[in-house]
Short mmCIF file of all heavy atoms in Angstrom, two decimals:
data_model
loop_
_atom_site.label_atom_id
_atom_site.label_comp_id
_atom_site.label_asym_id
_atom_site.label_seq_id
_atom_site.Cartn_x
_atom_site.Cartn_y
_atom_site.Cartn_z
N PHE A 9 -5.64 21.80 -9.16
CA PHE A 9 -5.91 21.42 -7.77
C PHE A 9 -6.99 22.30 -7.15
O PHE A 9 -7.74 21.86 -6.28
CB PHE A 9 -4.62 21.46 -6.94
CG PHE A 9 -3.82 20.19 -7.07
CD1 PHE A 9 -2.71 20.14 -7.88
CD2 PHE A 9 -4.20 19.05 -6.39
CE1 PHE A 9 -1.98 18.96 -8.02
CE2 PHE A 9 -3.49 17.86 -6.52
CZ PHE A 9 -2.36 17.83 -7.34
N TYR A 27 3.39 21.05 -7.38
CA TYR A 27 2.42 20.43 -8.28
C TYR A 27 1.29 21.40 -8.61
O TYR A 27 0.77 22.06 -7.72
CB TYR A 27 1.82 19.16 -7.65
CG TYR A 27 2.86 18.15 -7.24
CD1 TYR A 27 2.77 17.49 -6.02
CD2 TYR A 27 3.94 17.86 -8.07
CE1 TYR A 27 3.74 16.56 -5.63
CE2 TYR A 27 4.91 16.93 -7.70
CZ TYR A 27 4.79 16.30 -6.47
OH TYR A 27 5.75 15.39 -6.10
N ILE A 29 -1.00 20.54 -11.61
CA ILE A 29 -2.06 19.77 -12.28
C ILE A 29 -2.21 18.42 -11.60
O ILE A 29 -1.24 17.67 -11.47
CB ILE A 29 -1.68 19.52 -13.77
CG1 ILE A 29 -1.35 20.84 -14.47
CG2 ILE A 29 -2.80 18.78 -14.50
CD1 ILE A 29 -2.51 21.79 -14.64
N PRO A 30 -3.42 18.10 -11.16
CA PRO A 30 -3.60 16.77 -10.54
C PRO A 30 -3.46 15.66 -11.58
O PRO A 30 -3.81 15.86 -12.75
CB PRO A 30 -5.02 16.82 -9.98
CG PRO A 30 -5.70 17.97 -10.62
CD PRO A 30 -4.65 18.90 -11.15
N THR A 31 -2.96 14.54 -11.15
CA THR A 31 -2.90 13.38 -12.05
C THR A 31 -4.33 12.84 -12.18
O THR A 31 -5.21 13.18 -11.37
CB THR A 31 -1.99 12.28 -11.46
OG1 THR A 31 -2.59 11.81 -10.26
CG2 THR A 31 -0.58 12.79 -11.18
N GLN A 34 -5.83 11.50 -9.03
CA GLN A 34 -6.10 12.57 -8.06
C GLN A 34 -7.35 13.35 -8.47
O GLN A 34 -8.22 13.63 -7.63
CB GLN A 34 -4.90 13.51 -7.97
CG GLN A 34 -3.67 12.85 -7.34
CD GLN A 34 -2.38 13.59 -7.62
OE1 GLN A 34 -2.35 14.61 -8.31
NE2 GLN A 34 -1.27 13.06 -7.09
N GLN A 52 -1.73 2.08 -10.07
CA GLN A 52 -0.40 1.58 -9.69
C GLN A 52 0.45 2.70 -9.09
O GLN A 52 0.13 3.87 -9.25
CB GLN A 52 0.32 1.08 -10.93
CG GLN A 52 -0.49 0.09 -11.72
CD GLN A 52 0.41 -0.84 -12.48
OE1 GLN A 52 1.61 -0.73 -12.43
NE2 GLN A 52 -0.20 -1.77 -13.19
N THR A 53 1.55 2.27 -8.53
CA THR A 53 2.57 3.23 -8.10
C THR A 53 3.00 4.03 -9.32
O THR A 53 3.09 3.48 -10.41
CB THR A 53 3.78 2.46 -7.56
OG1 THR A 53 3.34 1.71 -6.44
CG2 THR A 53 4.89 3.38 -7.14
N GLY A 54 3.25 5.30 -9.12
CA GLY A 54 3.69 6.13 -10.24
C GLY A 54 2.56 6.94 -10.84
O GLY A 54 2.78 7.80 -11.68
N THR A 55 1.32 6.69 -10.40
CA THR A 55 0.18 7.43 -10.94
C THR A 55 -0.18 8.63 -10.06
O THR A 55 -1.08 9.39 -10.40
CB THR A 55 -1.06 6.51 -11.02
OG1 THR A 55 -1.28 5.95 -9.71
CG2 THR A 55 -0.87 5.39 -12.03
N GLY A 56 0.51 8.77 -8.95
CA GLY A 56 0.17 9.84 -8.01
C GLY A 56 -0.91 9.41 -7.03
O GLY A 56 -1.57 10.23 -6.40
N LYS A 57 -1.05 8.10 -6.83
CA LYS A 57 -2.14 7.60 -5.99
C LYS A 57 -1.97 7.99 -4.52
O LYS A 57 -2.95 8.18 -3.81
CB LYS A 57 -2.30 6.08 -6.14
CG LYS A 57 -1.20 5.27 -5.49
CD LYS A 57 -1.52 3.81 -5.51
CE LYS A 57 -0.28 2.97 -5.24
NZ LYS A 57 0.39 3.21 -3.96
N THR A 58 -0.72 8.12 -4.06
CA THR A 58 -0.52 8.45 -2.64
C THR A 58 -1.19 9.79 -2.29
O THR A 58 -1.95 9.88 -1.32
CB THR A 58 0.98 8.50 -2.29
OG1 THR A 58 1.61 7.36 -2.88
CG2 THR A 58 1.22 8.49 -0.81
N ALA A 59 -0.92 10.78 -3.12
CA ALA A 59 -1.54 12.09 -2.85
C ALA A 59 -3.06 12.02 -3.00
O ALA A 59 -3.78 12.80 -2.38
CB ALA A 59 -0.96 13.14 -3.79
N GLN A 93 7.20 5.84 3.16
CA GLN A 93 7.00 6.81 2.09
C GLN A 93 5.69 7.57 2.25
O GLN A 93 5.64 8.76 1.99
CB GLN A 93 6.94 6.06 0.76
CG GLN A 93 8.11 6.39 -0.12
CD GLN A 93 8.14 5.46 -1.31
OE1 GLN A 93 9.05 4.66 -1.42
NE2 GLN A 93 7.17 5.54 -2.17
N LYS A 100 5.20 16.21 3.64
CA LYS A 100 5.23 17.13 2.49
C LYS A 100 3.91 17.92 2.37
O LYS A 100 3.92 19.12 2.26
CB LYS A 100 5.49 16.32 1.22
CG LYS A 100 5.55 17.14 -0.05
CD LYS A 100 6.31 16.44 -1.19
CE LYS A 100 5.51 15.34 -1.84
NZ LYS A 100 6.22 14.73 -2.98
N TYR A 101 2.80 17.19 2.39
CA TYR A 101 1.52 17.86 2.15
C TYR A 101 0.88 18.40 3.43
O TYR A 101 -0.11 19.12 3.38
CB TYR A 101 0.52 16.89 1.49
CG TYR A 101 1.02 16.31 0.18
CD1 TYR A 101 1.15 14.93 0.00
CD2 TYR A 101 1.37 17.14 -0.89
CE1 TYR A 101 1.60 14.40 -1.20
CE2 TYR A 101 1.83 16.61 -2.09
CZ TYR A 101 1.94 15.24 -2.24
OH TYR A 101 2.40 14.70 -3.41
N ASP A 316 9.69 5.29 -4.13
CA ASP A 316 9.59 6.47 -4.96
C ASP A 316 10.99 7.06 -5.14
O ASP A 316 11.43 7.90 -4.38
CB ASP A 316 8.65 7.48 -4.30
CG ASP A 316 8.56 8.75 -5.10
OD1 ASP A 316 8.87 8.70 -6.31
OD2 ASP A 316 8.19 9.77 -4.53
N ARG A 344 10.73 7.10 -15.56
CA ARG A 344 9.55 7.68 -14.91
C ARG A 344 9.37 9.13 -15.34
O ARG A 344 10.30 9.78 -15.77
CB ARG A 344 9.70 7.61 -13.39
CG ARG A 344 9.91 6.21 -12.91
CD ARG A 344 9.92 6.15 -11.42
NE ARG A 344 8.65 5.63 -10.93
CZ ARG A 344 8.29 5.65 -9.67
NH1 ARG A 344 9.06 6.18 -8.77
NH2 ARG A 344 7.13 5.14 -9.30
P1 LIG B 1 2.79 7.71 -6.35
O1 LIG B 1 2.00 7.06 -7.45
O2 LIG B 1 1.94 8.19 -5.25
O3 LIG B 1 3.90 6.81 -5.89
O4 LIG B 1 3.48 9.03 -6.96
C1 LIG B 1 4.44 8.98 -7.95
C2 LIG B 1 5.21 10.28 -8.07
O5 LIG B 1 4.42 11.31 -8.62
C3 LIG B 1 5.76 10.84 -6.77
O6 LIG B 1 7.10 11.23 -7.00
C4 LIG B 1 4.93 12.05 -6.49
O7 LIG B 1 5.64 13.00 -5.74
C5 LIG B 1 4.61 12.53 -7.88
N1 LIG B 1 3.36 13.28 -7.98
C6 LIG B 1 2.24 13.10 -7.24
N2 LIG B 1 1.28 13.95 -7.63
C7 LIG B 1 1.78 14.67 -8.65
C8 LIG B 1 1.25 15.71 -9.48
N3 LIG B 1 0.00 16.16 -9.36
N4 LIG B 1 2.06 16.21 -10.43
C9 LIG B 1 3.30 15.75 -10.59
N5 LIG B 1 3.86 14.77 -9.84
C10 LIG B 1 3.11 14.25 -8.87
#
Side-chain angles (χ1 to χ4, degrees):
F9 276 102
Y27 304 137
I29 307 293
T31 65
Q34 292 162 359
Q52 307 208 359
T53 298
T55 54
K57 72 172 164 59
T58 315
Q93 247 170 247
K100 180 158 76 176
Y101 302 122
D316 178 21
R344 303 186 103 190

